[in-house]
């Protein structure tokens, strides 16, 4: 009797599991030939040895089932990039887990945080038209309540709208684009001219002015971040495109101590109250101290602490003394801007050499610590291969091809500085 029940139970369980995995399809090299031309696919490329991929796995299944139950057009798949190498090459996968969207034969690289919310938001955004029309004040309010940052074209069809749509096609991976007419916007929004492009964020709005703001795409890249926000390594990396410096309160991963909370609030207050003065030069936020920022300074950062980073040249600034008051923080910001505070790091030659050494150490040491045997093997293997190639070279005077797969072996989920481009690729 109980044996029967257990059997029934296991059948039910496997049915449930089957149903769960049915929302995520395993894709192989035949995918590009067998998919329909109108299909939209959200694909995770993983590698069996990548621990970040394993962490993402349950999230990926939740995303699959949730998109299905929402009736989304987006189909969810995953592919073992070490097995389906042809597909991975087609999508130019370099790091794991890589998340890409395929829509009408165009590939879009997801560059946001590896969280369910972030990825779901991306999938929903990519599913519909690039520029969505807001035809009533209700729809406008609805959009406002769902998006922290939104770019809105206001007016009739024009050359500017064409330009807006072109930029939206490229930057849709990062943010939201809408179009509407003047009468849909609240009366409190004042526009000097039409057509206009307006960004709504930080409980206010800004209007694009070609003369003073320059290139539309560059302006959108500058303005697509909140003035103050939680920042993870993906966001920080993407913030490089804004050309602004980023002021960070570095805090604990969770359970902030009271001093961390003080730092976080101080940065938030200064960001808000001095927006007029500093938002042209700085983005503000708080970030959990960890591998990415330690890699940036090539050392261990103090927690909590403040740091300003220039992502264009990998330079950073740290306050010389304690920063407890608003005045001290403002002095620090001014010092960074006028150059009285010395920049550390950077991308000069000696810094680059140091970085290579640091990154090699950071990759190799944990392997030796956690699994000395594998470590020896990993270290010994390339050496043996190297020796073998040397032997071949000496014999035949031929040069072996670069093998991209070895580079992928060292890749982690943290974005690699200056290597990935967040642009769409086709
Ligand atoms: C649209 O873009 C083109 C080229 O990028 C530019 O020359 C033109 O001034 C833009 N038009 C408007 C109305 O902004
Ligand atoms: C950040 O780095 C870029 C590239 O080197 C440089 O042009 C820019 O002036 C730097 N910003 C500040 C505020 O130092």
């Amino acid at each position: 009797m109980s044996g029967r029940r257990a059997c029934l139970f296991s059948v039910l369980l496997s049915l449930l599991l089957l149903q769960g995995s049915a929302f995520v399809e395993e894709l192989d090299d035949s995918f590009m030939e067998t998919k329909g031309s109108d299909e939209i696919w959200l694909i995770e490329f993983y590698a069996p040895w990548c621990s970040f991929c394993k962490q993402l796995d349950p999230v990926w299944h939740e995303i699959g089932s949730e998109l299905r139950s929402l009736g989304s057009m987006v189909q969810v798949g995953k592919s073992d990039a070490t097995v389906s190498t042809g597909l991975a090459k087609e999508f130019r996968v370099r790091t794991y887990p890589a998340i890409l969207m395929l829509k009408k034969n165009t590939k879009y690289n997801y560059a946001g945080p590896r969280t369910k919310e972030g990825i779901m938001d991306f999938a929903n955004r990519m599913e519909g038209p690039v520029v969505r029309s807001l035809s009533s004040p209700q729809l406008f309010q609805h959009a406002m309540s769902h998006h922290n940052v939104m770019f809105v074209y206001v007016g009739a069809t024009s050359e500017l709208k064409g330009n807006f749509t072109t930029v939206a096609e490229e930057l849709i991976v990062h943010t939201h684009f809408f179009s509407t007419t003047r009468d849909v916007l609240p009366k409190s929004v004042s526009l000097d001219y039409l057509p206009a492009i307006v960004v709504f964020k930080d409980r206010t709005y800004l209007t694009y002015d070609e003369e003073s703001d320059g290139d539309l795409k560059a302006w959108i890249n500058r303005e697509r971040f909140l003035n103050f926000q939680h920042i993870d390594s993906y966001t920080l990396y993407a913030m490089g495109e804004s050309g602004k410096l980023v002021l960070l309160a570095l805090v604990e991963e969770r359970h902030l101590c009271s001093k961390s909370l003080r730092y976080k609030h101080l940065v938030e207050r200064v960001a808000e109250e001095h927006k007029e003065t500093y938002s042209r030069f700085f983005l503000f936020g708080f970030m959990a101290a960890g591998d990415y920022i330690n890699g940036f300074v090539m050392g261990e950062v103090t927690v909590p602490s403040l740091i300003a980073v220039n992502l264009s040249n990998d330079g950073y600034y740290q306050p010389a003394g304690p920063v407890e008051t608003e005045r001290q923080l403002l002095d620090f910001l001014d010092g960074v801007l006028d150059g009285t505070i010395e920049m550390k790091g950077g991308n000069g030659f000696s810094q680059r050499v140091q970085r290579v050494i640091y990154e090699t150490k950071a990759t190799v040491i944990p392997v030796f610590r956690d699994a000395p045997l594998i470590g020896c093997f990993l270290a010994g293997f390339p050496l043996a291969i190297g020796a073998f190639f040397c032997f071949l070279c000496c014999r035949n005077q031929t040069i072996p091809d670069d093998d991209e797969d070895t580079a992928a072996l060292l890749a982690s989920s943290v974005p690699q500085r200056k290597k990935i481009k967040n642009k769409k690729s086709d």
Side-chain angles (χ1 to χ4, degrees):
M1 187 65 195
S2 72
R4 260 233 208 116
R5 222 187 269 165
C7 179
L8 191 68
F9 180 71
S10 67
V11 168
L12 273 177
L13 194 72
S14 50
L15 270 179
L16 270 175
L17 285 176
L18 251 178
Q19 215 194 354
S21 62
F23 297 130
V24 176
E25 242 177 272
E26 187 77 40
L27 309 175
D28 59 27
D29 282 341
S30 67
F31 170 70
M32 291 306 273
E33 282 93 65
T34 53
K35 70 164 184 64
S37 61
D38 276 349
E39 289 173 5
I40 308 176
W41 281 89
L42 181 67
I43 307 170
E44 181 216 350
F45 288 90
Y46 63 94
W49 42 261
C50 144
S51 60
F52 293 103
C53 304
K54 292 201 180 82
Q55 285 169 23
L56 188 63
D57 215 42
V59 174
W60 203 249
H61 282 273
E62 274 178 49
I63 290 170
S65 80
E66 205 158 313
L67 285 175
R68 183 71 62 88
S69 67
L70 288 169
S72 168
M73 304 262 293
V74 178
Q75 308 189 60
V76 181
K78 59 177 188 161
S79 181
D80 184 339
T82 61
V83 176
S84 308
T85 49
L87 193 60
K89 207 161 209 158
E90 166 94 34
F91 280 80
R92 297 193 196 144
V93 171
R94 286 292 164 81
T95 56
Y96 303 113
I99 298 175
L100 286 113
M101 167 81 70
L102 180 72
K103 183 182 172 184
K104 297 210 169 66
N105 291 323
T106 305
K107 302 174 188 93
Y108 298 89
N109 205 341
Y110 174 66
R114 268 46 177 169
T115 59
K116 186 177 157 195
E117 295 71 39
I119 299 167
M120 286 288 289
D121 188 50
F122 171 69
N124 290 329
R125 190 161 72 231
M126 299 302 295
E127 184 190 356
V130 173
V131 176
R132 298 185 189 210
S133 157
L134 298 170
S135 52
S136 71
Q138 288 76 20
L139 283 175
F140 176 79
Q141 288 308 337
H142 180 83
M144 283 287 280
S145 64
H146 282 77
H147 308 306
N148 289 329
V149 178
M150 49 192 256
F151 290 87
V152 183
Y153 173 86
V154 190
T157 302
S158 68
E159 187 191 340
L160 185 64
K161 187 169 186 183
N163 287 3
F164 182 70
T165 308
T166 308
V167 174
E169 271 159 10
E170 193 168 331
L171 298 184
I172 183 73
V173 288
H174 299 300
T175 189
H176 300 268
F177 296 91
F178 297 94
S179 76
T180 193
T181 49
R182 178 69 194 92
D183 54 317
V184 165
L185 295 183
K187 296 277 169 295
S188 58
V189 175
S190 89
L191 298 175
D192 294 339
Y193 47 83
L194 286 180
I197 296 172
V198 188
V199 56
F200 292 88
K201 61 168 186 173
D202 300 320
R203 293 190 302 281
T204 179
Y205 63 93
L206 283 172
T207 310
Y208 168 67
D209 174 355
E210 192 179 359
E211 217 150 86
S212 59
D213 294 324
D215 179 53
L216 178 61
K217 183 179 157 194
W219 178 74
I220 292 176
N221 266 329
R222 271 201 308 281
E223 297 302 336
R224 68 185 167 86
F225 301 97
L226 290 173
N227 191 31
F228 175 87
Q229 68 180 95
H230 171 232
I231 296 173
D232 64 3
S233 54
Y234 294 96
T235 316
L236 184 63
Y237 182 84
M239 281 173 160
E241 280 177 47
S242 72
K244 295 182 193 181
L245 299 167
V246 184
L247 182 85
L248 292 166
L250 298 173
V251 298
E252 293 88 355
E253 177 110 35
R254 27 185 99 90
H255 308 304
L256 307 200
C257 70
S258 60
K259 193 174 172 201
S260 290
L261 283 172
R262 252 197 346 265
Y263 271 25
K264 184 181 152 197
H265 291 149
L266 177 64
V267 171
E268 182 167 17
R269 199 170 67 233
V270 164
E272 176 63 30
E273 289 174 5
H274 299 270
K275 201 180 332 187
E276 295 291 314
T277 322
Y278 295 104
S279 69
R280 266 180 304 146
F281 309 109
F282 283 98
L283 292 164
F284 298 86
F286 63 101
M287 181 175 192
D291 292 347
Y292 190 79
I293 202 74
N294 286 338
F296 202 93
V297 306
M298 293 189 265
E300 192 105 352
V301 293
T302 336
V303 182
S305 62
L306 295 174
I307 188 170
V309 300
N310 183 347
L311 295 149
S312 316
N313 63 2
D314 288 350
Y316 65 94
Y317 305 82
Q318 284 168 322
V323 175
E324 297 294 339
T325 65
E326 195 172 312
R327 188 63 257 160
Q328 286 166 333
L329 180 51
L330 294 177
D331 286 344
F332 175 56
L333 296 180
D334 291 336
V336 169
L337 288 180
D338 65 24
T340 50
I341 294 177
E342 191 197 353
M343 186 184 86
K344 301 181 211 168
N347 55 6
F349 179 73
S350 73
Q351 287 294 325
R352 289 211 301 271
V353 172
Q354 272 186 37
R355 186 165 294 284
V356 169
I357 296 171
Y358 178 85
E359 279 170 5
T360 311
K361 266 207 230 148
T363 315
V364 171
I365 288 174
V367 177
F368 274 96
R369 195 184 48 216
D370 299 342
L373 215 67
I374 296 182
C376 289
F377 176 71
L378 281 181
F381 192 56
L383 277 179
I385 300 231
F388 180 64
F389 275 128
C390 270
F391 169 70
L392 281 187
C393 286
C394 297
R395 264 184 44 169
N396 300 338
Q397 297 291 313
T398 54
I399 298 157
D401 273 347
D402 252 358
D403 190 346
E404 283 177 5
D405 295 342
T406 18
L409 194 68
L410 294 175
S412 72
S413 99
V414 174
Q416 296 191 317
R417 221 163 281 116
K418 304 280 179 287
K419 279 187 196 149
I420 44 170
K421 271 272 160 241
N422 303 328
K423 284 190 217 136
K424 74 170 181 182
S425 57
D426 37 20

